[in-house]
Amino acid sequence: MSHKPTLRNPRLESAGLDSWIVRLFEDIDEHNLPWLSALSRRCEQAFGDALIDLVPSYTTLLVVFDPLMVSPSQARVLISRILVDLEPEDSAHAGEIHELQTWYDPSVGPELSRVAKHAGLSVNEVIDAHSQQVYRVFALGFAPGFAFMGLTDPRLECGRLDTPRRRVPPGSVAMAGRQTAAYPTATPGGWNLLGRTNARLFDRERTGFSLLRVGDQVRFVPVSREEFEREGGDTTPMEPLA
């Protein structure tokens, strides 16, 4: 990922009567983010009240609009005009910076030892490596408020669990491959659990619902059990993996 992608042949793919997928790139690259962020911002301006949702991913942006206000062909024209002179956002438009207080402990992070063994490190070294990195939010998906972040320290790269859990508690901090995330709600999941954060990642009362947005920067800050409990964190131990 040492190269910086340029916009070559963006494509529009129909995703129904109310949405278009804009495919900017073919390969996952952290340098895609400024382009996707710029496209999102320009779509917000161009569609105005007709815009229903924007769903960015690693290489694409799903644009969902109100077909009673804008027809699919009109939406295609709007997006095509944006793509003609689209430029990546500069640092002045960088996302927000978030520090998520995290309690790293085997009782809530049962894969700490698995990742440590795989990496040839101690559990404390895994915690240090994971918490010292500043991550970028690459995409939102899987569940509301679930942010895919990267890239982790290459030493920590570890595959998903062979058997996913039926229920991962909200706030669980996890990693798979070189990605990391925190589960916003209780869902099934097969990532390696390292700990738990007390951050409210998804809130229906919050504008936009999700705490994290594509392009944001995130750091997991280790805290003691006492600090975690004091801030309202749930210390309920994980059940054994069935």
Side-chain angles (χ1 to χ4, degrees), residues 7-232:
L7 203 59
R8 294 184 178 178
N9 297 302
R11 302 197 309 272
L12 273 70
E13 303 168 5
S14 176
L17 295 176
D18 65 347
S19 52
W20 286 97
I21 295 174
V22 189
R23 187 171 301 281
L24 294 187
F25 304 102
E26 297 298 330
D27 300 319
I28 296 174
D29 192 305
E30 61 185 303
H31 295 108
N32 295 353
L33 281 173
W35 290 96
L36 290 162
S37 296
L39 178 59
S40 295
R41 183 167 51 84
R42 294 279 299 275
C43 283
E44 289 177 351
Q45 297 168 349
F47 281 82
D49 292 339
L51 185 67
I52 300 297
D53 198 8
L54 293 170
V55 185
S57 186
Y58 291 98
T59 59
T60 65
L61 178 71
L62 175 66
V63 182
V64 184
F65 52 88
D66 184 346
L68 297 179
M69 298 178 67
V70 178
S71 70
S73 59
Q74 290 172 325
R76 183 186 180 97
V77 169
L78 286 174
I79 298 169
S80 297
R81 287 174 178 169
I82 292 171
L83 293 173
V84 169
D85 60 354
L86 185 67
E87 292 290 337
E89 288 191 337
D90 56 30
S91 57
H93 296 99
E96 292 186 42
I97 299 173
H98 304 269
E99 291 192 343
L100 306 185
Q101 292 189 338
T102 303
W103 178 42
Y104 292 91
D105 189 84
S107 65
V108 292
E111 275 73 67
L112 273 171
S113 58
R114 177 178 189 260
V115 174
K117 182 178 180 180
H118 183 80
L121 301 171
S122 69
V123 167
N124 285 337
E125 287 173 327
V126 169
I127 294 171
D128 287 343
H130 184 265
S131 62
Q132 289 175 3
Q133 199 89 347
V134 176
Y135 302 102
R136 295 297 295 269
V137 177
F138 287 141
L140 296 174
F142 169 63
F146 190 98
F148 293 84
M149 295 176 263
L151 294 167
T152 62
D153 186 313
R155 296 176 298 167
L156 302 185
E157 185 171 355
C158 189
R160 301 170 186 239
L161 301 176
D162 293 333
T163 304
R165 287 184 170 85
R166 294 181 179 178
R167 183 184 185 277
V168 176
S172 294
V173 174
M175 59 165 292
R178 291 195 62 196
Q179 297 182 102
T180 191
Y183 286 77
T185 54
T187 62
W191 288 28
N192 299 281
L193 304 186
L194 306 180
R196 197 173 289 170
T197 179
N198 55 22
R200 196 173 186 83
L201 300 162
F202 181 77
D203 187 346
R204 294 186 184 278
E205 301 300 317
R206 178 192 293 126
T207 301
F209 303 140
S210 177
L211 173 66
L212 306 177
R213 302 185 66 182
V214 171
D216 283 358
Q217 300 179 60
V218 178
R219 190 170 77 86
F220 296 92
V221 180
V223 297
S224 66
R225 176 177 180 141
E226 291 72 21
E227 292 175 283
F228 184 68
E229 286 184 304
R230 189 163 57 245
E231 295 299 324

